Amino acid sequence: MPTDEMREDEIRDATVGEPQLHAAPIELAEYDPAWPERFEQEAAKIRGALGERALRVEHTGSTAVPGLAAKPIIDLVLVVADSADEASYVPPLEEAGYVLRVREPDWYEHRVVKAPDMDVNLHIFSEGCPEIDRMLLFRDCLRANPEERELYERAKRELARKEWKYVQNYADAKTAVVEEIIARANS
């Protein structure tokens, strides 16, 4: 298991610019029925910027699960032909107001762009990446199974009370319960 110091190095290495310190508990909001509409607005903006290069845009993360408390940040997955080819999609996304914040070439060539107001995380993967299906399986499992949704929310609320140096540390701390839920969804 990586130490906090090792994980901090990974966060710094993956961050474009300076990592944003959090140094506080995580604030969760009750489910907001406006979140799907916010997703649709962002999806339209992304499709408008990229046209056919946006092969798929999906609403993921907790804001995509009705009834689930979440950080009020819309997570989206954007599928492009090759996420390593930043020149094919980053400039038009920047023109639309997004900022490249994460580059993880060793993890599925994952990229993240954020909206300037920081209430949108756009996760970018290449077509065929297995992480896309994994994220959608998790979302769909939480949507369809109240028991799994409640388990995940309990874990989130417990972890959210702790102080986290980076929001990514909170996300990492949820890994065990996420993997447990995915394993049951796959069985």
Side-chain angles (χ1 to χ4, degrees), residues 104-126:
E104 294 181 294
D106 295 335
W107 189 68
Y108 302 116
E109 290 290 351
H110 175 241
R111 305 298 192 269
V112 176
V113 299
K114 293 183 180 268
D117 56 12
M118 302 301 279
D119 71 345
V120 172
N121 290 329
L122 178 59
H123 300 269
I124 304 166
F125 295 102
S126 299

mmCIF file of all heavy atoms in Angstrom, residues 104-126:
data_model
loop_
_atom_site.group_PDB
_atom_site.id
_atom_site.type_symbol
_atom_site.label_atom_id
_atom_site.label_comp_id
_atom_site.label_asym_id
_atom_site.label_seq_id
_atom_site.Cartn_x
_atom_site.Cartn_y
_atom_site.Cartn_z
ATOM 1 N N GLU A 104 -2.423 11.359 -16.842
ATOM 2 C CA GLU A 104 -1.944 10.090 -16.289
ATOM 3 C C GLU A 104 -1.632 9.108 -17.420
ATOM 4 O O GLU A 104 -2.423 8.204 -17.695
ATOM 5 C CB GLU A 104 -2.983 9.491 -15.340
ATOM 6 C CG GLU A 104 -3.207 10.308 -14.090
ATOM 7 C CD GLU A 104 -4.222 9.683 -13.150
ATOM 8 O OE1 GLU A 104 -5.409 9.608 -13.533
ATOM 9 O OE2 GLU A 104 -3.813 9.284 -12.050
ATOM 10 N N PRO A 105 -0.481 9.248 -18.070
ATOM 11 C CA PRO A 105 -0.158 8.366 -19.190
ATOM 12 C C PRO A 105 -0.008 6.897 -18.793
ATOM 13 O O PRO A 105 -0.233 6.011 -19.622
ATOM 14 C CB PRO A 105 1.157 8.938 -19.733
ATOM 15 C CG PRO A 105 1.704 9.765 -18.631
ATOM 16 C CD PRO A 105 0.552 10.238 -17.811
ATOM 17 N N ASP A 106 0.316 6.637 -17.537
ATOM 18 C CA ASP A 106 0.502 5.251 -17.097
ATOM 19 C C ASP A 106 -0.787 4.595 -16.620
ATOM 20 O O ASP A 106 -0.782 3.424 -16.249
ATOM 21 C CB ASP A 106 1.551 5.192 -15.979
ATOM 22 C CG ASP A 106 2.925 5.602 -16.476
ATOM 23 O OD1 ASP A 106 3.198 5.472 -17.689
ATOM 24 O OD2 ASP A 106 3.729 6.071 -15.645
ATOM 25 N N TRP A 107 -1.880 5.343 -16.588
ATOM 26 C CA TRP A 107 -3.165 4.778 -16.189
ATOM 27 C C TRP A 107 -4.174 5.064 -17.297
ATOM 28 O O TRP A 107 -4.876 6.060 -17.295
ATOM 29 C CB TRP A 107 -3.646 5.347 -14.845
ATOM 30 C CG TRP A 107 -4.838 4.633 -14.314
ATOM 31 C CD1 TRP A 107 -4.905 3.352 -13.860
ATOM 32 C CD2 TRP A 107 -6.166 5.154 -14.221
ATOM 33 N NE1 TRP A 107 -6.186 3.045 -13.490
ATOM 34 C CE2 TRP A 107 -6.986 4.142 -13.690
ATOM 35 C CE3 TRP A 107 -6.740 6.382 -14.523
ATOM 36 C CZ2 TRP A 107 -8.343 4.299 -13.469
ATOM 37 C CZ3 TRP A 107 -8.103 6.550 -14.297
ATOM 38 C CH2 TRP A 107 -8.882 5.524 -13.777
ATOM 39 N N TYR A 108 -4.187 4.184 -18.299
ATOM 40 C CA TYR A 108 -5.123 4.275 -19.424
ATOM 41 C C TYR A 108 -5.029 5.579 -20.205
ATOM 42 O O TYR A 108 -6.008 5.971 -20.850
ATOM 43 C CB TYR A 108 -6.571 4.080 -18.962
ATOM 44 C CG TYR A 108 -6.858 2.781 -18.257
ATOM 45 C CD1 TYR A 108 -7.247 2.764 -16.925
ATOM 46 C CD2 TYR A 108 -6.745 1.569 -18.935
ATOM 47 C CE1 TYR A 108 -7.525 1.569 -16.272
ATOM 48 C CE2 TYR A 108 -7.018 0.368 -18.297
ATOM 49 C CZ TYR A 108 -7.412 0.379 -16.969
ATOM 50 O OH TYR A 108 -7.688 -0.797 -16.330
ATOM 51 N N GLU A 109 -3.906 6.280 -20.139
ATOM 52 C CA GLU A 109 -3.778 7.587 -20.813
ATOM 53 C C GLU A 109 -4.916 8.520 -20.385
ATOM 54 O O GLU A 109 -5.428 9.320 -21.169
ATOM 55 C CB GLU A 109 -3.746 7.439 -22.340
ATOM 56 C CG GLU A 109 -2.485 6.806 -22.874
ATOM 57 C CD GLU A 109 -1.247 7.692 -22.765
ATOM 58 O OE1 GLU A 109 -1.357 8.881 -22.428
ATOM 59 O OE2 GLU A 109 -0.139 7.170 -23.028
ATOM 60 N N HIS A 110 -5.300 8.413 -19.133
ATOM 61 C CA HIS A 110 -6.388 9.205 -18.552
ATOM 62 C C HIS A 110 -6.006 10.676 -18.504
ATOM 63 O O HIS A 110 -4.894 11.033 -18.156
ATOM 64 C CB HIS A 110 -6.658 8.680 -17.135
ATOM 65 C CG HIS A 110 -7.660 9.442 -16.346
ATOM 66 N ND1 HIS A 110 -7.336 10.049 -15.161
ATOM 67 C CD2 HIS A 110 -8.982 9.684 -16.546
ATOM 68 C CE1 HIS A 110 -8.416 10.622 -14.654
ATOM 69 N NE2 HIS A 110 -9.425 10.423 -15.486
ATOM 70 N N ARG A 111 -6.961 11.524 -18.854
ATOM 71 C CA ARG A 111 -6.816 12.965 -18.730
ATOM 72 C C ARG A 111 -8.054 13.490 -18.014
ATOM 73 O O ARG A 111 -9.131 12.888 -18.101
ATOM 74 C CB ARG A 111 -6.718 13.659 -20.099
ATOM 75 C CG ARG A 111 -5.620 13.149 -21.036
ATOM 76 C CD ARG A 111 -4.227 13.351 -20.455
ATOM 77 N NE ARG A 111 -3.165 13.147 -21.417
ATOM 78 C CZ ARG A 111 -2.546 11.990 -21.653
ATOM 79 N NH1 ARG A 111 -2.890 10.905 -21.001
ATOM 80 N NH2 ARG A 111 -1.561 11.917 -22.528
ATOM 81 N N VAL A 112 -7.905 14.618 -17.333
ATOM 82 C CA VAL A 112 -9.050 15.300 -16.732
ATOM 83 C C VAL A 112 -8.947 16.771 -17.081
ATOM 84 O O VAL A 112 -7.896 17.387 -16.904
ATOM 85 C CB VAL A 112 -9.082 15.153 -15.186
ATOM 86 C CG1 VAL A 112 -10.242 15.963 -14.594
ATOM 87 C CG2 VAL A 112 -9.196 13.696 -14.774
ATOM 88 N N VAL A 113 -10.044 17.299 -17.607
ATOM 89 C CA VAL A 113 -10.167 18.742 -17.756
ATOM 90 C C VAL A 113 -11.277 19.181 -16.818
ATOM 91 O O VAL A 113 -12.200 18.417 -16.520
ATOM 92 C CB VAL A 113 -10.431 19.194 -19.217
ATOM 93 C CG1 VAL A 113 -9.295 18.785 -20.138
ATOM 94 C CG2 VAL A 113 -11.750 18.682 -19.736
ATOM 95 N N LYS A 114 -11.146 20.410 -16.328
ATOM 96 C CA LYS A 114 -12.124 20.948 -15.387
ATOM 97 C C LYS A 114 -12.683 22.241 -15.937
ATOM 98 O O LYS A 114 -12.015 22.952 -16.676
ATOM 99 C CB LYS A 114 -11.468 21.223 -14.033
ATOM 100 C CG LYS A 114 -11.014 19.955 -13.315
ATOM 101 C CD LYS A 114 -10.442 20.277 -11.959
ATOM 102 C CE LYS A 114 -9.990 19.051 -11.237
ATOM 103 N NZ LYS A 114 -10.998 18.471 -10.388
ATOM 104 N N ALA A 115 -13.908 22.523 -15.510
ATOM 105 C CA ALA A 115 -14.497 23.820 -15.811
ATOM 106 C C ALA A 115 -13.860 24.839 -14.871
ATOM 107 O O ALA A 115 -13.453 24.489 -13.769
ATOM 108 C CB ALA A 115 -16.006 23.770 -15.621
ATOM 109 N N PRO A 116 -13.757 26.088 -15.291
ATOM 110 C CA PRO A 116 -13.116 27.104 -14.451
ATOM 111 C C PRO A 116 -13.756 27.259 -13.077
ATOM 112 O O PRO A 116 -13.084 27.562 -12.107
ATOM 113 C CB PRO A 116 -13.251 28.391 -15.254
ATOM 114 C CG PRO A 116 -13.628 27.990 -16.621
ATOM 115 C CD PRO A 116 -14.213 26.612 -16.561
ATOM 116 N N ASP A 117 -15.070 27.031 -12.980
ATOM 117 C CA ASP A 117 -15.733 27.145 -11.679
ATOM 118 C C ASP A 117 -15.531 25.901 -10.827
ATOM 119 O O ASP A 117 -16.012 25.819 -9.708
ATOM 120 C CB ASP A 117 -17.219 27.461 -11.844
ATOM 121 C CG ASP A 117 -17.943 26.437 -12.705
ATOM 122 O OD1 ASP A 117 -17.383 25.367 -13.007
ATOM 123 O OD2 ASP A 117 -19.090 26.722 -13.094
ATOM 124 N N MET A 118 -14.817 24.905 -11.370
ATOM 125 C CA MET A 118 -14.422 23.685 -10.673
ATOM 126 C C MET A 118 -15.593 22.776 -10.302
ATOM 127 O O MET A 118 -15.425 21.879 -9.489
ATOM 128 C CB MET A 118 -13.603 24.006 -9.423
ATOM 129 C CG MET A 118 -12.336 24.810 -9.693
ATOM 130 S SD MET A 118 -11.187 24.011 -10.822
ATOM 131 C CE MET A 118 -10.383 22.883 -9.695
ATOM 132 N N ASP A 119 -16.765 22.960 -10.870
ATOM 133 C CA ASP A 119 -17.867 22.066 -10.525
ATOM 134 C C ASP A 119 -18.094 20.983 -11.584
ATOM 135 O O ASP A 119 -19.110 20.327 -11.601
ATOM 136 C CB ASP A 119 -19.152 22.845 -10.239
ATOM 137 C CG ASP A 119 -19.772 23.464 -11.483
ATOM 138 O OD1 ASP A 119 -19.099 23.550 -12.523
ATOM 139 O OD2 ASP A 119 -20.951 23.868 -11.410
ATOM 140 N N VAL A 120 -17.091 20.791 -12.461
ATOM 141 C CA VAL A 120 -17.148 19.765 -13.494
ATOM 142 C C VAL A 120 -15.783 19.092 -13.602
ATOM 143 O O VAL A 120 -14.761 19.776 -13.692
ATOM 144 C CB VAL A 120 -17.528 20.370 -14.870
ATOM 145 C CG1 VAL A 120 -17.394 19.340 -15.979
ATOM 146 C CG2 VAL A 120 -18.936 20.941 -14.837
ATOM 147 N N ASN A 121 -15.792 17.758 -13.574
ATOM 148 C CA ASN A 121 -14.598 16.967 -13.860
ATOM 149 C C ASN A 121 -14.898 16.145 -15.105
ATOM 150 O O ASN A 121 -15.796 15.299 -15.086
ATOM 151 C CB ASN A 121 -14.265 15.999 -12.725
ATOM 152 C CG ASN A 121 -13.784 16.690 -11.483
ATOM 153 O OD1 ASN A 121 -13.162 17.741 -11.546
ATOM 154 N ND2 ASN A 121 -14.059 16.083 -10.346
ATOM 155 N N LEU A 122 -14.162 16.386 -16.168
ATOM 156 C CA LEU A 122 -14.338 15.644 -17.415
ATOM 157 C C LEU A 122 -13.186 14.662 -17.550
ATOM 158 O O LEU A 122 -12.042 15.055 -17.781
ATOM 159 C CB LEU A 122 -14.379 16.610 -18.598
ATOM 160 C CG LEU A 122 -14.511 15.983 -19.981
ATOM 161 C CD1 LEU A 122 -15.778 15.140 -20.088
ATOM 162 C CD2 LEU A 122 -14.501 17.077 -21.045
ATOM 163 N N HIS A 123 -13.483 13.371 -17.338
ATOM 164 C CA HIS A 123 -12.493 12.298 -17.427
ATOM 165 C C HIS A 123 -12.442 11.819 -18.872
ATOM 166 O O HIS A 123 -13.480 11.473 -19.447
ATOM 167 C CB HIS A 123 -12.884 11.133 -16.519
ATOM 168 C CG HIS A 123 -12.973 11.515 -15.082
ATOM 169 N ND1 HIS A 123 -11.910 11.412 -14.229
ATOM 170 C CD2 HIS A 123 -14.005 12.034 -14.358
ATOM 171 C CE1 HIS A 123 -12.269 11.831 -13.031
ATOM 172 N NE2 HIS A 123 -13.538 12.217 -13.083
ATOM 173 N N ILE A 124 -11.248 11.798 -19.445
ATOM 174 C CA ILE A 124 -11.104 11.481 -20.861
ATOM 175 C C ILE A 124 -10.326 10.177 -21.016
ATOM 176 O O ILE A 124 -9.238 10.014 -20.454
ATOM 177 C CB ILE A 124 -10.399 12.636 -21.599
ATOM 178 C CG1 ILE A 124 -11.181 13.937 -21.354
ATOM 179 C CG2 ILE A 124 -10.265 12.326 -23.086
ATOM 180 C CD1 ILE A 124 -10.430 15.191 -21.727
ATOM 181 N N PHE A 125 -10.904 9.260 -21.796
ATOM 182 C CA PHE A 125 -10.299 7.958 -22.064
ATOM 183 C C PHE A 125 -10.388 7.660 -23.558
ATOM 184 O O PHE A 125 -11.255 8.183 -24.253
ATOM 185 C CB PHE A 125 -11.039 6.840 -21.321
ATOM 186 C CG PHE A 125 -10.965 6.914 -19.831
ATOM 187 C CD1 PHE A 125 -12.034 7.403 -19.091
ATOM 188 C CD2 PHE A 125 -9.830 6.489 -19.148
ATOM 189 C CE1 PHE A 125 -11.979 7.463 -17.706
ATOM 190 C CE2 PHE A 125 -9.759 6.551 -17.765
ATOM 191 C CZ PHE A 125 -10.833 7.035 -17.044
ATOM 192 N N SER A 126 -9.527 6.759 -24.008
ATOM 193 C CA SER A 126 -9.563 6.290 -25.392
ATOM 194 C C SER A 126 -10.674 5.269 -25.588
ATOM 195 O O SER A 126 -11.012 4.507 -24.670
ATOM 196 C CB SER A 126 -8.234 5.619 -25.769
ATOM 197 O OG SER A 126 -7.168 6.516 -25.673
#
